[in-house]
Amino acid sequence: MFSTSTQKKYWLFADESELLKARSEANAKFVASHGPKMTEEERNEILDANEEKALLKFYELQLRDFCRRFEPPMPRSVAGTAFHYFKRFYLIHSVMDYHPKEILVTCVYLATKVDEFNVSIDQFVRNVKGNQTKAMDIILNNELLLMQVLNYNLTIHNPFRPIEGLLIDIKTRGTMVDPERLRPGIEDFLDKAFLTSAPLLVAPSQLALAAVLHSVSKIGENLDNYVTKTLLGDSSSEALASLVEAVRKVRSMIKSMESSPKEVIRVLEKRLEKCRNQENNPDSEIYKKRQFEALHDEDEKYGSDFPSLIMSGDLKLGEGIFEINKSMTSP
């Protein structure tokens, strides 16, 4: 149940200021740890917390599109779980430490497992254009890291089940004719809500109700009587006020959504490539050397012939999920 879940205990925040504080601390931690080791040119490219936020919004759009295009078709709950993982990860780490394009696909892959959407790693990487062998290596190398950063709090309560419960209840106890008419508006609202901080700020049942009420208003209907008298029943006025505030909060976040111009993202991407942690960059020599040494240690430990790490090949920018930025990074 959500009321006793790790999601509510550890990953539900009071307001945006708490999220901003966490992201700012992650940014400051990276700068303090890696800034002194950088050249002056690299230090000049360091991103601030607001610039990181702009990049993360861009990559959340890529996450959404990747899930939409996925074959076989992906359940919405899997995408919702991946969004939660992605948002949580970057409350702890800076984008300069771990590139979003690599964490993004790892979040989706882990979500397929947790939500029991059974696809093999081979099936999964067929949705990644570019060097699929390297994509597989990146995902598998990052999977444990992701789980550790999430503190193994992997069960996600999404708003999709509460949506189904509300629609059934409206059909059963409400007076609305054909509540199924609400689905398109609900899905559109949730698609937008997952691109905001709403999943980290409101309970899934509140997010579900906000989506239903939004859809109701879009078709010119009214559910006020159902909500206040049927759904909430004998609930206190404080409970009603809290619910109303949560619904308003989500609607306000969606209305105030902004995306940075492509020109801004292009510049931020170039700067990120210059200031990112090379130890976590699969294209860097230091990363390849570390991976090779790790395999060598395995050989030493177990005395068996482990396959050599394939060093060649490159994940091109611009195609699929690893190549989404070629058009943006080209001069």
Side-chain angles (χ1 to χ4, degrees):
M1 292 180 62
F2 176 75
S3 60
T4 58
S5 67
T6 56
Q7 181 173 339
K8 181 180 180 182
K9 187 174 182 180
Y10 301 114
W11 299 101
L12 196 65
F13 300 86
D15 51 44
E16 289 266 16
S17 65
E18 289 191 7
L19 303 180
L20 177 59
K21 180 182 177 183
R23 295 187 188 109
S24 297
E25 288 176 351
N27 178 273
K29 181 180 177 182
F30 175 86
V31 174
S33 176
H34 297 277
K37 303 180 230 177
M38 292 181 174
T39 65
E40 183 177 354
E41 180 185 1
E42 290 169 338
R43 282 195 293 271
N44 290 336
E45 304 297 340
I46 287 176
L47 306 177
D48 63 31
N50 287 328
E51 290 168 334
E52 288 201 40
K53 183 179 179 181
L55 270 179
L56 288 173
K57 284 187 175 294
F58 169 74
Y59 277 102
E60 285 185 352
L61 288 170
Q62 309 312 309
L63 191 159
R64 180 198 65 186
D65 293 343
F66 180 71
C67 292
R68 284 179 174 177
R69 295 193 303 265
F70 197 88
E71 291 295 335
M74 180 181 291
R76 291 172 63 85
S77 62
V78 177
T81 295
F83 267 107
H84 275 271
Y85 292 167
F86 188 78
K87 292 174 187 291
R88 292 179 183 184
F89 186 91
Y90 287 107
L91 293 177
I92 310 298
H93 285 291
S94 165
V95 300
M96 294 179 286
D97 213 358
Y98 297 95
H99 201 297
K101 70 181 179 184
E102 292 150 11
I103 297 303
L104 184 161
V105 285
T106 310
C107 289
V108 179
Y109 179 65
L110 181 58
T112 64
K113 289 185 172 183
V114 174
D115 276 26
E116 299 182 348
F117 176 51
N118 296 315
V119 291
S120 67
I121 184 64
D122 295 295
Q123 286 178 294
F124 187 92
V125 297
R126 281 200 286 271
N127 289 273
V128 178
K129 296 180 181 178
N131 188 323
Q132 295 180 356
T133 300
K134 191 171 183 182
M136 186 184 302
D137 288 342
I138 289 173
I139 291 168
L140 296 179
N141 285 338
N142 283 330
E143 186 178 14
L144 180 58
L145 164 74
L146 175 60
M147 290 191 287
Q148 290 171 336
V149 171
L150 299 176
N151 200 26
Y152 301 95
N153 302 151
L154 303 182
T155 299
I156 299 297
H157 296 264
N158 279 301
F160 305 109
R161 285 188 178 180
I163 288 289
E164 297 305 317
L166 280 170
L167 290 177
I168 291 171
D169 195 52
I170 292 170
K171 293 174 186 177
T172 305
R173 299 194 294 164
T175 59
M176 175 180 286
V177 177
D178 189 19
E180 288 296 321
R181 293 178 295 152
L182 300 176
R183 284 195 184 275
I186 289 171
E187 292 177 0
D188 179 66
F189 185 90
L190 290 180
D191 283 346
K192 293 175 180 175
F194 273 103
L195 296 174
T196 72
S197 299
L200 299 175
L201 297 175
V202 300
S205 58
Q206 295 173 330
L207 188 52
L209 183 58
V212 169
L213 294 179
H214 168 80
S215 187
V216 167
S217 66
K218 295 291 282 185
I219 64 172
E221 296 273 1
N222 188 298
L223 279 183
D224 290 352
N225 192 59
Y226 163 78
V227 172
T228 56
K229 295 184 178 179
T230 305
L231 184 63
L232 295 181
D234 297 329
S235 299
S236 65
S237 57
E238 290 81 5
L240 177 60
S242 175
L243 182 60
V244 169
E245 177 58 27
V247 170
R248 285 177 178 169
K249 182 188 294 186
V250 178
R251 285 183 166 182
S252 176
M253 282 188 282
I254 290 176
K255 286 182 180 179
S256 61
M257 275 176 56
E258 294 181 355
S259 57
S260 299
K262 289 184 177 181
E263 295 76 15
V264 172
I265 297 299
R266 186 185 301 121
V267 171
L268 294 178
E269 282 282 295
K270 288 181 178 180
R271 287 174 56 194
L272 177 59
E273 287 303 319
K274 293 178 181 179
C275 68
R276 68 179 295 193
N277 183 358
Q278 293 304 309
E279 292 183 2
N280 297 325
N281 179 3
D283 295 324
S284 72
E285 290 305 317
I286 188 171
Y287 178 94
K288 293 174 182 177
K289 181 180 178 182
R290 189 179 63 181
Q291 292 296 101
F292 182 82
E293 290 173 348
L295 285 176
H296 179 71
D297 289 344
E298 292 292 332
D299 287 345
E300 295 268 325
K301 181 177 180 180
Y302 296 106
S304 58
D305 293 327
F306 279 74
S308 298
L309 181 66
I310 298 174
M311 298 297 182
S312 61
D314 196 17
L315 286 176
K316 304 172 186 176
L317 296 175
E319 302 172 19
I321 195 62
F322 282 103
E323 303 187 0
I324 50 181
N325 293 316
K326 188 171 184 180
S327 62
M328 305 190 71
T329 55
S330 300

